[in-house]
Amino acid sequence: MRLAQSTYVEVAEYLTRSRGIILPTGSTEQHSPMGVMGTDHIDAETIAWRTGEVSGALIGPTITLGVSEHHMMFPGSITLRPSTYIAVMSDYILSLVDHGFERFYILNGHGGNTATLNAAFVEIYNYLRRVRGTGAPDIRCKAAKWFENEICEKKALELTGHTARGHASCAEVSVAQFADPANIRSVKLEPEYGPLDHTFYNAEDFRRRFPDGRIESNAEKASPEIGRALVETAAEYHAAQYRAFLAD
């Protein structure tokens, strides 16, 4: 069930049986010559939709822009300031709090969002404590990057010969290809893998260290079939995590 494709009557009915919701978030940034700009938010959205089917959760609209300052030397990349991302996520969640939602599982496709997501949660809790006081609802927020868990990493290693870590990995590019054939590219990448060192300081330094945008990755073997298997694995995992979060 997707919020954007539901009527307010249907959302009200959902709230009679659940106060939880899954919110996909990602970025719009370079993913090497092989991966499309929207890879991170496409992956998060695709996996969230399937997780909703498995778990019965309502899925909120995807936040397609993230904190991507370090990619800004690659044309087409878009970044939000951390303060902007915090404000957007806070307004998003607090709007839903007004309607009775209490548990927010943020399915994240972009590692650069992690620190800012955690800061947004602090802003939300702080607002509720200071403004709403002791009568505020018991709101809880949890963020999970879709592949940062042993099960999804193991599946990625099995299917691609490499973990899903790094940037523009075979795993994340495959999920985007599964989501839409228009995302498929065929490019010869040289060298075979991007540099293994994840250290960088700013956008200029990132471009110098990772000339084609890749970190520790090679997506030449990416395929929709690999993407389909990863979506199913990730959806089963996150559905279980979401249920446990609701019960906590």
Side-chain angles (χ1 to χ4, degrees):
M1 181 177 178
R2 304 175 193 176
L3 188 146
Q5 294 176 302
S6 303
T7 68
Y8 75 85
V9 176
E10 292 165 338
V11 174
E13 192 279 329
Y14 174 85
L15 282 164
T16 65
R17 49 191 167 83
S18 178
R19 296 301 172 109
I21 188 168
I22 296 175
L23 311 180
T25 187
S27 68
T28 299
E29 63 184 37
Q30 69 83 18
H31 274 78
S32 84
M34 188 84 185
V36 296
M37 289 281 180
T39 294
D40 284 346
H41 76 254
I42 292 167
D43 289 4
E45 181 176 78
T46 302
I47 292 166
W49 286 351
R50 181 60 183 142
T51 302
E53 292 172 349
V54 173
S55 67
L58 180 66
I59 309 300
T62 304
I63 298 179
T64 61
L65 302 179
V67 181
S68 302
E69 170 61 29
H70 48 297
H71 294 290
M72 289 303 291
M73 293 301 292
F74 294 84
S77 297
I78 300 170
T79 190
L80 298 181
R81 289 172 291 175
S83 57
T84 303
Y85 187 81
I86 289 170
V88 170
M89 184 60 70
S90 298
D91 285 352
Y92 187 173
I93 289 175
L94 288 170
S95 293
L96 293 171
V97 168
D98 283 347
H99 302 304
F101 289 92
E102 296 180 350
R103 297 292 183 270
F104 300 89
Y105 189 92
I106 290 77
L107 192 54
N108 181 26
H110 174 48
N113 291 340
T114 301
T116 310
L117 269 172
N118 290 330
F121 299 161
V122 174
E123 289 282 349
I124 291 164
Y125 299 146
N126 182 67
Y127 169 83
L128 291 168
R129 180 178 61 83
R130 290 182 179 276
V131 177
R132 299 285 185 92
T134 56
D138 177 23
I139 303 305
R140 300 184 188 184
C141 305
K142 178 182 177 66
K145 194 172 179 186
W146 72 262
F147 58 76
E148 283 191 346
N149 58 81
E150 183 178 353
I151 292 173
C152 293
E153 286 279 23
K154 182 178 179 181
K155 177 60 71 171
L157 184 61
E158 171 192 324
L159 294 172
T160 72
H162 198 270
T163 73
R165 296 175 186 172
H167 182 68
S169 69
C170 187
E172 62 179 349
V173 170
S174 291
V175 172
Q177 290 186 354
F178 167 68
D180 189 338
N183 298 331
I184 297 174
R185 301 290 187 277
S186 179
V187 179
K188 180 64 178 175
L189 298 171
E190 294 289 348
E192 184 177 3
Y193 284 91
L196 299 180
D197 184 2
H198 289 229
T199 303
F200 58 88
Y201 295 96
N202 52 45
E204 291 80 4
D205 189 48
F206 186 101
R207 185 67 195 254
R208 180 180 66 80
R209 293 172 187 260
F210 312 104
D212 70 356
R214 291 182 296 146
I215 302 177
E216 191 187 349
S217 66
N218 182 351
E220 284 188 29
K221 295 180 181 179
S223 72
E225 293 72 28
I226 290 174
R228 180 192 299 275
L230 288 169
V231 168
E232 290 300 320
T233 298
E236 291 289 343
Y237 173 81
H238 287 288
Q241 294 296 303
Y242 173 72
R243 294 189 192 102
F245 176 55
L246 293 185
D248 186 12

PDB file of all heavy atoms in Angstrom, residues 125-150:
ATOM      1  N   TYR A 125      12.684  14.485  18.068  1.00  0.00           N
ATOM      2  CA  TYR A 125      12.464  14.179  19.482  1.00  0.00           C
ATOM      3  C   TYR A 125      12.517  15.445  20.329  1.00  0.00           C
ATOM      4  O   TYR A 125      11.731  15.616  21.266  1.00  0.00           O
ATOM      5  CB  TYR A 125      13.511  13.181  19.979  1.00  0.00           C
ATOM      6  CG  TYR A 125      13.497  11.833  19.277  1.00  0.00           C
ATOM      7  CD1 TYR A 125      14.676  11.122  19.068  1.00  0.00           C
ATOM      8  CD2 TYR A 125      12.310  11.258  18.831  1.00  0.00           C
ATOM      9  CE1 TYR A 125      14.680   9.885  18.446  1.00  0.00           C
ATOM     10  CE2 TYR A 125      12.300  10.021  18.207  1.00  0.00           C
ATOM     11  CZ  TYR A 125      13.491   9.340  18.013  1.00  0.00           C
ATOM     12  OH  TYR A 125      13.489   8.114  17.399  1.00  0.00           O
ATOM     13  N   ASN A 126      13.465  16.332  19.997  1.00  0.00           N
ATOM     14  CA  ASN A 126      13.602  17.580  20.737  1.00  0.00           C
ATOM     15  C   ASN A 126      12.354  18.445  20.588  1.00  0.00           C
ATOM     16  O   ASN A 126      11.840  19.019  21.564  1.00  0.00           O
ATOM     17  CB  ASN A 126      14.831  18.347  20.254  1.00  0.00           C
ATOM     18  CG  ASN A 126      15.059  19.637  21.015  1.00  0.00           C
ATOM     19  OD1 ASN A 126      15.367  19.629  22.197  1.00  0.00           O
ATOM     20  ND2 ASN A 126      14.892  20.752  20.332  1.00  0.00           N
ATOM     21  N   TYR A 127      11.825  18.529  19.364  1.00  0.00           N
ATOM     22  CA  TYR A 127      10.621  19.314  19.118  1.00  0.00           C
ATOM     23  C   TYR A 127       9.440  18.759  19.920  1.00  0.00           C
ATOM     24  O   TYR A 127       8.701  19.513  20.568  1.00  0.00           O
ATOM     25  CB  TYR A 127      10.286  19.308  17.633  1.00  0.00           C
ATOM     26  CG  TYR A 127       8.912  19.868  17.318  1.00  0.00           C
ATOM     27  CD1 TYR A 127       8.711  21.242  17.204  1.00  0.00           C
ATOM     28  CD2 TYR A 127       7.817  19.021  17.163  1.00  0.00           C
ATOM     29  CE1 TYR A 127       7.446  21.761  16.943  1.00  0.00           C
ATOM     30  CE2 TYR A 127       6.552  19.528  16.907  1.00  0.00           C
ATOM     31  CZ  TYR A 127       6.378  20.897  16.788  1.00  0.00           C
ATOM     32  OH  TYR A 127       5.123  21.404  16.544  1.00  0.00           O
ATOM     33  N   LEU A 128       9.272  17.463  19.866  1.00  0.00           N
ATOM     34  CA  LEU A 128       8.141  16.865  20.564  1.00  0.00           C
ATOM     35  C   LEU A 128       8.232  17.066  22.076  1.00  0.00           C
ATOM     36  O   LEU A 128       7.230  17.336  22.742  1.00  0.00           O
ATOM     37  CB  LEU A 128       8.063  15.376  20.236  1.00  0.00           C
ATOM     38  CG  LEU A 128       7.654  15.047  18.794  1.00  0.00           C
ATOM     39  CD1 LEU A 128       7.883  13.571  18.502  1.00  0.00           C
ATOM     40  CD2 LEU A 128       6.210  15.428  18.536  1.00  0.00           C
ATOM     41  N   ARG A 129       9.439  16.979  22.624  1.00  0.00           N
ATOM     42  CA  ARG A 129       9.606  17.158  24.063  1.00  0.00           C
ATOM     43  C   ARG A 129       9.373  18.612  24.475  1.00  0.00           C
ATOM     44  O   ARG A 129       8.676  18.902  25.449  1.00  0.00           O
ATOM     45  CB  ARG A 129      11.006  16.713  24.488  1.00  0.00           C
ATOM     46  CG  ARG A 129      11.279  16.873  25.985  1.00  0.00           C
ATOM     47  CD  ARG A 129      12.664  16.355  26.342  1.00  0.00           C
ATOM     48  NE  ARG A 129      13.714  17.089  25.650  1.00  0.00           N
ATOM     49  CZ  ARG A 129      14.212  18.251  26.071  1.00  0.00           C
ATOM     50  NH1 ARG A 129      13.748  18.826  27.175  1.00  0.00           N
ATOM     51  NH2 ARG A 129      15.180  18.839  25.407  1.00  0.00           N
ATOM     52  N   ARG A 130       9.947  19.551  23.694  1.00  0.00           N
ATOM     53  CA  ARG A 130       9.874  20.956  24.085  1.00  0.00           C
ATOM     54  C   ARG A 130       8.526  21.588  23.758  1.00  0.00           C
ATOM     55  O   ARG A 130       8.023  22.427  24.511  1.00  0.00           O
ATOM     56  CB  ARG A 130      10.992  21.748  23.407  1.00  0.00           C
ATOM     57  CG  ARG A 130      12.386  21.420  23.929  1.00  0.00           C
ATOM     58  CD  ARG A 130      13.445  22.276  23.259  1.00  0.00           C
ATOM     59  NE  ARG A 130      14.764  21.988  23.774  1.00  0.00           N
ATOM     60  CZ  ARG A 130      15.281  22.533  24.884  1.00  0.00           C
ATOM     61  NH1 ARG A 130      14.541  23.390  25.589  1.00  0.00           N
ATOM     62  NH2 ARG A 130      16.493  22.227  25.287  1.00  0.00           N
ATOM     63  N   VAL A 131       7.969  21.234  22.608  1.00  0.00           N
ATOM     64  CA  VAL A 131       6.739  21.887  22.153  1.00  0.00           C
ATOM     65  C   VAL A 131       5.495  21.123  22.599  1.00  0.00           C
ATOM     66  O   VAL A 131       4.525  21.709  23.071  1.00  0.00           O
ATOM     67  CB  VAL A 131       6.743  22.051  20.618  1.00  0.00           C
ATOM     68  CG1 VAL A 131       5.443  22.667  20.140  1.00  0.00           C
ATOM     69  CG2 VAL A 131       7.928  22.921  20.195  1.00  0.00           C
ATOM     70  N   ARG A 132       5.521  19.815  22.461  1.00  0.00           N
ATOM     71  CA  ARG A 132       4.358  19.010  22.817  1.00  0.00           C
ATOM     72  C   ARG A 132       4.318  18.665  24.305  1.00  0.00           C
ATOM     73  O   ARG A 132       3.260  18.387  24.849  1.00  0.00           O
ATOM     74  CB  ARG A 132       4.335  17.728  21.988  1.00  0.00           C
ATOM     75  CG  ARG A 132       4.250  17.945  20.470  1.00  0.00           C
ATOM     76  CD  ARG A 132       2.869  18.364  20.030  1.00  0.00           C
ATOM     77  NE  ARG A 132       2.770  18.451  18.576  1.00  0.00           N
ATOM     78  CZ  ARG A 132       2.374  17.448  17.790  1.00  0.00           C
ATOM     79  NH1 ARG A 132       2.036  16.285  18.308  1.00  0.00           N
ATOM     80  NH2 ARG A 132       2.321  17.614  16.490  1.00  0.00           N
ATOM     81  N   GLY A 133       5.495  18.610  24.936  1.00  0.00           N
ATOM     82  CA  GLY A 133       5.540  18.343  26.369  1.00  0.00           C
ATOM     83  C   GLY A 133       5.269  16.894  26.712  1.00  0.00           C
ATOM     84  O   GLY A 133       5.389  15.983  25.881  1.00  0.00           O
ATOM     85  N   THR A 134       4.856  16.659  27.951  1.00  0.00           N
ATOM     86  CA  THR A 134       4.671  15.292  28.447  1.00  0.00           C
ATOM     87  C   THR A 134       3.520  14.561  27.759  1.00  0.00           C
ATOM     88  O   THR A 134       3.435  13.345  27.832  1.00  0.00           O
ATOM     89  CB  THR A 134       4.420  15.308  29.964  1.00  0.00           C
ATOM     90  OG1 THR A 134       3.284  16.149  30.237  1.00  0.00           O
ATOM     91  CG2 THR A 134       5.633  15.851  30.712  1.00  0.00           C
ATOM     92  N   GLY A 135       2.647  15.300  27.100  1.00  0.00           N
ATOM     93  CA  GLY A 135       1.527  14.659  26.410  1.00  0.00           C
ATOM     94  C   GLY A 135       1.842  14.245  24.994  1.00  0.00           C
ATOM     95  O   GLY A 135       0.957  13.754  24.276  1.00  0.00           O
ATOM     96  N   ALA A 136       3.091  14.420  24.558  1.00  0.00           N
ATOM     97  CA  ALA A 136       3.469  14.073  23.193  1.00  0.00           C
ATOM     98  C   ALA A 136       3.393  12.566  22.976  1.00  0.00           C
ATOM     99  O   ALA A 136       3.639  11.780  23.906  1.00  0.00           O
ATOM    100  CB  ALA A 136       4.879  14.564  22.892  1.00  0.00           C
ATOM    101  N   PRO A 137       3.040  12.125  21.777  1.00  0.00           N
ATOM    102  CA  PRO A 137       3.006  10.684  21.502  1.00  0.00           C
ATOM    103  C   PRO A 137       4.404  10.080  21.557  1.00  0.00           C
ATOM    104  O   PRO A 137       5.409  10.786  21.414  1.00  0.00           O
ATOM    105  CB  PRO A 137       2.427  10.620  20.074  1.00  0.00           C
ATOM    106  CG  PRO A 137       2.730  11.948  19.483  1.00  0.00           C
ATOM    107  CD  PRO A 137       2.663  12.933  20.602  1.00  0.00           C
ATOM    108  N   ASP A 138       4.464   8.772  21.750  1.00  0.00           N
ATOM    109  CA  ASP A 138       5.734   8.048  21.827  1.00  0.00           C
ATOM    110  C   ASP A 138       6.212   7.750  20.405  1.00  0.00           C
ATOM    111  O   ASP A 138       5.933   6.695  19.838  1.00  0.00           O
ATOM    112  CB  ASP A 138       5.538   6.755  22.622  1.00  0.00           C
ATOM    113  CG  ASP A 138       6.812   5.916  22.689  1.00  0.00           C
ATOM    114  OD1 ASP A 138       7.909   6.486  22.529  1.00  0.00           O
ATOM    115  OD2 ASP A 138       6.707   4.696  22.893  1.00  0.00           O
ATOM    116  N   ILE A 139       6.911   8.722  19.830  1.00  0.00           N
ATOM    117  CA  ILE A 139       7.385   8.596  18.449  1.00  0.00           C
ATOM    118  C   ILE A 139       8.758   7.954  18.431  1.00  0.00           C
ATOM    119  O   ILE A 139       9.639   8.320  19.212  1.00  0.00           O
ATOM    120  CB  ILE A 139       7.444   9.988  17.780  1.00  0.00           C
ATOM    121  CG1 ILE A 139       6.085  10.668  17.817  1.00  0.00           C
ATOM    122  CG2 ILE A 139       7.964   9.864  16.350  1.00  0.00           C
ATOM    123  CD1 ILE A 139       4.960   9.876  17.224  1.00  0.00           C
ATOM    124  N   ARG A 140       8.943   7.010  17.498  1.00  0.00           N
ATOM    125  CA  ARG A 140      10.243   6.367  17.347  1.00  0.00           C
ATOM    126  C   ARG A 140      10.614   6.301  15.869  1.00  0.00           C
ATOM    127  O   ARG A 140       9.768   5.994  15.019  1.00  0.00           O
ATOM    128  CB  ARG A 140      10.232   4.964  17.950  1.00  0.00           C
ATOM    129  CG  ARG A 140       9.901   4.971  19.436  1.00  0.00           C
ATOM    130  CD  ARG A 140       9.982   3.611  20.064  1.00  0.00           C
ATOM    131  NE  ARG A 140       9.479   3.637  21.431  1.00  0.00           N
ATOM    132  CZ  ARG A 140       9.490   2.603  22.248  1.00  0.00           C
ATOM    133  NH1 ARG A 140       9.992   1.444  21.836  1.00  0.00           N
ATOM    134  NH2 ARG A 140       9.005   2.707  23.467  1.00  0.00           N
ATOM    135  N   CYS A 141      11.894   6.595  15.594  1.00  0.00           N
ATOM    136  CA  CYS A 141      12.404   6.609  14.218  1.00  0.00           C
ATOM    137  C   CYS A 141      13.611   5.681  14.127  1.00  0.00           C
ATOM    138  O   CYS A 141      14.473   5.694  15.007  1.00  0.00           O
ATOM    139  CB  CYS A 141      12.831   8.021  13.811  1.00  0.00           C
ATOM    140  SG  CYS A 141      11.558   9.285  13.991  1.00  0.00           S
ATOM    141  N   LYS A 142      13.653   4.913  13.060  1.00  0.00           N
ATOM    142  CA  LYS A 142      14.772   3.984  12.852  1.00  0.00           C
ATOM    143  C   LYS A 142      15.190   4.057  11.395  1.00  0.00           C
ATOM    144  O   LYS A 142      14.343   3.986  10.500  1.00  0.00           O
ATOM    145  CB  LYS A 142      14.362   2.553  13.204  1.00  0.00           C
ATOM    146  CG  LYS A 142      15.438   1.493  12.976  1.00  0.00           C
ATOM    147  CD  LYS A 142      14.900   0.105  13.319  1.00  0.00           C
ATOM    148  CE  LYS A 142      15.911  -0.991  13.034  1.00  0.00           C
ATOM    149  NZ  LYS A 142      17.091  -0.888  13.929  1.00  0.00           N
ATOM    150  N   ALA A 143      16.486   4.204  11.148  1.00  0.00           N
ATOM    151  CA  ALA A 143      17.005   4.232   9.784  1.00  0.00           C
ATOM    152  C   ALA A 143      17.797   2.963   9.504  1.00  0.00           C
ATOM    153  O   ALA A 143      18.544   2.480  10.362  1.00  0.00           O
ATOM    154  CB  ALA A 143      17.894   5.456   9.570  1.00  0.00           C
ATOM    155  N   ALA A 144      17.647   2.421   8.299  1.00  0.00           N
ATOM    156  CA  ALA A 144      18.391   1.231   7.904  1.00  0.00           C
ATOM    157  C   ALA A 144      18.789   1.360   6.445  1.00  0.00           C
ATOM    158  O   ALA A 144      17.936   1.580   5.577  1.00  0.00           O
ATOM    159  CB  ALA A 144      17.543  -0.023   8.104  1.00  0.00           C
ATOM    160  N   LYS A 145      20.079   1.280   6.162  1.00  0.00           N
ATOM    161  CA  LYS A 145      20.535   1.237   4.776  1.00  0.00           C
ATOM    162  C   LYS A 145      20.252  -0.168   4.243  1.00  0.00           C
ATOM    163  O   LYS A 145      20.546  -1.165   4.923  1.00  0.00           O
ATOM    164  CB  LYS A 145      22.015   1.570   4.685  1.00  0.00           C
ATOM    165  CG  LYS A 145      22.470   1.883   3.276  1.00  0.00           C
ATOM    166  CD  LYS A 145      23.895   2.398   3.254  1.00  0.00           C
ATOM    167  CE  LYS A 145      24.330   2.679   1.821  1.00  0.00           C
ATOM    168  NZ  LYS A 145      25.762   3.049   1.765  1.00  0.00           N
ATOM    169  N   TRP A 146      19.722  -0.269   3.056  1.00  0.00           N
ATOM    170  CA  TRP A 146      19.110  -1.531   2.641  1.00  0.00           C
ATOM    171  C   TRP A 146      20.073  -2.707   2.628  1.00  0.00           C
ATOM    172  O   TRP A 146      19.686  -3.841   2.923  1.00  0.00           O
ATOM    173  CB  TRP A 146      18.408  -1.388   1.293  1.00  0.00           C
ATOM    174  CG  TRP A 146      19.256  -1.241   0.065  1.00  0.00           C
ATOM    175  CD1 TRP A 146      19.591  -0.078  -0.569  1.00  0.00           C
ATOM    176  CD2 TRP A 146      19.821  -2.291  -0.732  1.00  0.00           C
ATOM    177  NE1 TRP A 146      20.353  -0.329  -1.688  1.00  0.00           N
ATOM    178  CE2 TRP A 146      20.503  -1.682  -1.808  1.00  0.00           C
ATOM    179  CE3 TRP A 146      19.831  -3.683  -0.635  1.00  0.00           C
ATOM    180  CZ2 TRP A 146      21.187  -2.418  -2.782  1.00  0.00           C
ATOM    181  CZ3 TRP A 146      20.506  -4.423  -1.597  1.00  0.00           C
ATOM    182  CH2 TRP A 146      21.173  -3.782  -2.663  1.00  0.00           C
ATOM    183  N   PHE A 147      21.356  -2.493   2.317  1.00  0.00           N
ATOM    184  CA  PHE A 147      22.255  -3.639   2.206  1.00  0.00           C
ATOM    185  C   PHE A 147      23.221  -3.764   3.374  1.00  0.00           C
ATOM    186  O   PHE A 147      24.015  -4.708   3.416  1.00  0.00           O
ATOM    187  CB  PHE A 147      23.048  -3.601   0.899  1.00  0.00           C
ATOM    188  CG  PHE A 147      23.887  -2.367   0.689  1.00  0.00           C
ATOM    189  CD1 PHE A 147      25.071  -2.187   1.359  1.00  0.00           C
ATOM    190  CD2 PHE A 147      23.470  -1.389  -0.194  1.00  0.00           C
ATOM    191  CE1 PHE A 147      25.834  -1.060   1.160  1.00  0.00           C
ATOM    192  CE2 PHE A 147      24.237  -0.253  -0.401  1.00  0.00           C
ATOM    193  CZ  PHE A 147      25.434  -0.090   0.281  1.00  0.00           C
ATOM    194  N   GLU A 148      23.181  -2.873   4.347  1.00  0.00           N
ATOM    195  CA  GLU A 148      24.134  -2.947   5.457  1.00  0.00           C
ATOM    196  C   GLU A 148      23.642  -3.915   6.534  1.00  0.00           C
ATOM    197  O   GLU A 148      23.283  -3.536   7.643  1.00  0.00           O
ATOM    198  CB  GLU A 148      24.406  -1.555   6.027  1.00  0.00           C
ATOM    199  CG  GLU A 148      25.339  -0.748   5.150  1.00  0.00           C
ATOM    200  CD  GLU A 148      25.821   0.529   5.815  1.00  0.00           C
ATOM    201  OE1 GLU A 148      25.235   0.915   6.849  1.00  0.00           O
ATOM    202  OE2 GLU A 148      26.753   1.141   5.300  1.00  0.00           O
ATOM    203  N   ASN A 149      23.637  -5.184   6.170  1.00  0.00           N
ATOM    204  CA  ASN A 149      23.290  -6.266   7.081  1.00  0.00           C
ATOM    205  C   ASN A 149      23.888  -7.547   6.512  1.00  0.00           C
ATOM    206  O   ASN A 149      24.169  -7.644   5.318  1.00  0.00           O
ATOM    207  CB  ASN A 149      21.773  -6.384   7.246  1.00  0.00           C
ATOM    208  CG  ASN A 149      21.066  -6.626   5.939  1.00  0.00           C
ATOM    209  OD1 ASN A 149      21.018  -7.752   5.453  1.00  0.00           O
ATOM    210  ND2 ASN A 149      20.523  -5.581   5.328  1.00  0.00           N
ATOM    211  N   GLU A 150      24.104  -8.508   7.364  1.00  0.00           N
ATOM    212  CA  GLU A 150      24.815  -9.726   6.970  1.00  0.00           C
ATOM    213  C   GLU A 150      24.084 -10.493   5.873  1.00  0.00           C
ATOM    214  O   GLU A 150      24.714 -11.027   4.949  1.00  0.00           O
ATOM    215  CB  GLU A 150      25.005 -10.622   8.193  1.00  0.00           C
ATOM    216  CG  GLU A 150      25.804 -11.874   7.914  1.00  0.00           C
ATOM    217  CD  GLU A 150      26.018 -12.731   9.151  1.00  0.00           C
ATOM    218  OE1 GLU A 150      25.659 -12.269  10.251  1.00  0.00           O
ATOM    219  OE2 GLU A 150      26.537 -13.853   9.014  1.00  0.00           O
TER     220      GLU A 150
END
